[in-house]
Amino acid sequence: MTDLSPSLTLNDIRAGADVLRGVADDTPLVPSPYLEAQFGQPFWLKLENMQPIGAFKLRGALNAVANLPDGTAGVTCCSTGNHGRGVAYAAAEKGMRAVVCMSELVPQAKVDGIRALGAEVRIVGRSQDDAFAESRRLVAEEGLVEISPFDDPFVIAGQGTIGLEIMERRPEIETLLVPLSGGGLAAGVALAAKALKPSVKVIGISMDRGAAMYESLRAGHPVEVAEYASLADSLGGGIGVENRLSYPMCRALLDDVILVTEEEIYRAMQTLYYEDRIVAEGGCVVGTAAVQAGKLTLTGPTATVITGRNLDMDVFTRIVSGRDVILGDVTIKGMPYGA
């Protein structure tokens, strides 16, 4: 793809906003009276689960596909689910072939959702790295253009429009809690938010097993991590050892990174459902999970991104019913809400 400068700017994000206008922009930013009462500060939810594909990933995918060279035959990507949906949707809008590569750990509901949008799906290995290798093979052997889920300038700029919308609508916000995986969302949101309000704090939140960006930031360079089944499956996968954009941007722009347990994610999914009537993936609720668990104290108006709703409804039903959930070799004991 045609590259931008490694140093993205607010202008790149505003250009992305022009691409998305009327298709994937202006999702609701709603207050949560319950969370405000619990945490003692105004608390806002950016509802990216209301996107046409049910997840924020549509923003970056649409922006990336819109900036492809003329004559591009098709696109490929590796994905834990939502990026694949976004690429499939964006490619279908252009009448373009899309091949989405995924590991065996991706829930079947997400695989089915991508196929329903007209994309081909390749299931390869048990890690995001295996899926990435297949995507690279398709680039080399079939001439497809790869769209990274996080390490692409147009993807990052597209995701950054979320930060733009939040801060333009609620400039009083002092802290943003952003789910953190490969870092495309966190990097874009942090860039936009801090360009508009340098004092705003942007905190990345991830699960405590297999958090690739967290481990990379600790190591001082991108590293590979083991992957595990998680309620926050959309946050799984590596960041790529040759990461050139999202890692340095997260290192420069994030004020902190916090990890939460599966039990804390379970509780936060229940809270969002019972108190705000929102169906959300485990990866969406890590921000509220961190606050509920006492892992950070809020000092002013706060917002978090509810990133998607594309989850296994059987698992979700078990969670809101307070029943056990099995994740690979780990069982999360049932916890009735309010108990």
Side-chain angles (χ1 to χ4, degrees):
M1 295 178 64
T2 302
D3 203 357
L4 293 175
S5 164
S7 299
L8 297 176
T9 70
L10 183 61
N11 286 338
D12 299 315
I13 294 174
R14 291 197 186 281
D18 290 338
V19 171
L20 304 183
R21 189 161 291 116
V23 181
D25 62 336
D26 203 28
T27 53
L29 180 64
V30 300
S32 171
Y34 175 81
L35 295 175
E36 177 174 346
Q38 289 293 304
F39 304 151
Q41 298 291 343
F43 201 96
W44 299 84
L45 307 172
K46 179 62 168 167
L47 300 184
E48 288 296 295
N49 58 330
M50 302 306 294
Q51 290 283 7
I53 65 162
F56 79 98
K57 291 282 192 177
L58 184 57
R59 292 177 183 257
L62 282 170
N63 196 39
V65 169
N67 282 282
L68 287 169
D70 292 339
T72 300
V75 293
T76 182
C77 68
C78 63
S79 174
T80 55
N82 287 331
H83 178 61
R85 276 185 187 249
V87 169
Y89 185 102
E93 290 286 293
K94 294 282 190 179
M96 186 181 295
R97 181 188 180 201
V99 183
V100 179
C101 303
M102 314 176 81
S103 83
E104 296 170 5
L105 292 178
V106 176
Q108 188 61 42
K110 293 193 174 183
V111 175
D112 294 342
I114 291 169
R115 287 192 172 123
L117 290 168
E120 302 171 43
V121 176
R122 305 277 177 90
I123 305 297
V124 184
R126 287 188 55 80
S127 76
Q128 190 79 333
D129 291 331
D130 294 331
F132 178 66
E134 174 64 10
S135 182
R136 296 307 298 269
R137 186 193 69 78
L138 290 167
V139 171
E141 298 182 13
E142 300 188 26
L144 301 185
V145 174
E146 184 176 34
I147 299 178
S148 169
F150 47 81
D151 202 34
D152 178 285
F154 297 108
V155 168
I156 293 173
Q159 321 303 29
T161 59
I162 297 171
L164 192 67
E165 290 176 15
I166 292 173
M167 298 310 299
E168 287 184 340
R169 193 174 305 173
R170 290 289 169 183
E172 71 271 23
I173 285 173
E174 296 182 7
T175 303
L176 292 175
L177 308 178
V178 185
L180 179 63
S181 179
L185 173 65
V189 167
L191 175 60
K194 288 176 178 288
L196 295 175
K197 185 177 182 177
S199 65
V200 70
K201 291 183 179 179
V202 183
I203 300 173
I205 320 283
S206 195
M207 69 287 196
D208 67 353
R209 299 195 304 162
M213 185 61 78
Y214 171 82
E215 296 296 344
S216 296
L217 292 171
R218 284 185 62 195
H221 58 86
V223 299
E224 296 181 354
V225 296
E227 294 182 37
Y228 303 92
S230 172
L231 292 178
D233 57 87
S234 62
L235 302 184
I239 70 168
V241 294
E242 298 178 357
N243 187 295
R244 62 193 178 88
L245 286 175
S246 65
Y247 167 76
M249 290 180 70
C250 285
R251 181 181 59 193
L253 296 170
L254 293 184
D255 294 281
D256 198 2
V257 176
I258 295 171
L259 303 183
V260 293
T261 68
E262 298 296 327
E263 289 77 14
E264 288 161 355
I265 294 169
Y266 183 111
R267 283 291 196 194
M269 291 176 74
Q270 289 182 325
T271 298
L272 203 63
Y273 176 75
Y274 282 106
E275 304 299 342
D276 290 287
R277 309 299 192 264
I278 294 173
V279 174
E281 299 175 35
C284 302
V285 304
V286 290
T288 57
V291 183
Q292 284 184 276
K295 293 183 173 178
L296 72 158
T297 301
L298 304 181
T299 58
T302 301
T304 192
V305 185
I306 305 303
T307 50
R309 65 173 188 265
N310 300 317
L311 73 175
D312 184 320
M313 289 304 294
D314 178 62
V315 172
F316 183 76
T317 299
R318 298 187 69 82
I319 291 170
V320 297
S321 301
R323 291 181 282 167
D324 292 356
V325 173
I326 298 174
L327 296 171
D329 59 353
V330 173
T331 298
I332 302 175
K333 299 300 294 182
M335 297 176 279
Y337 185 66

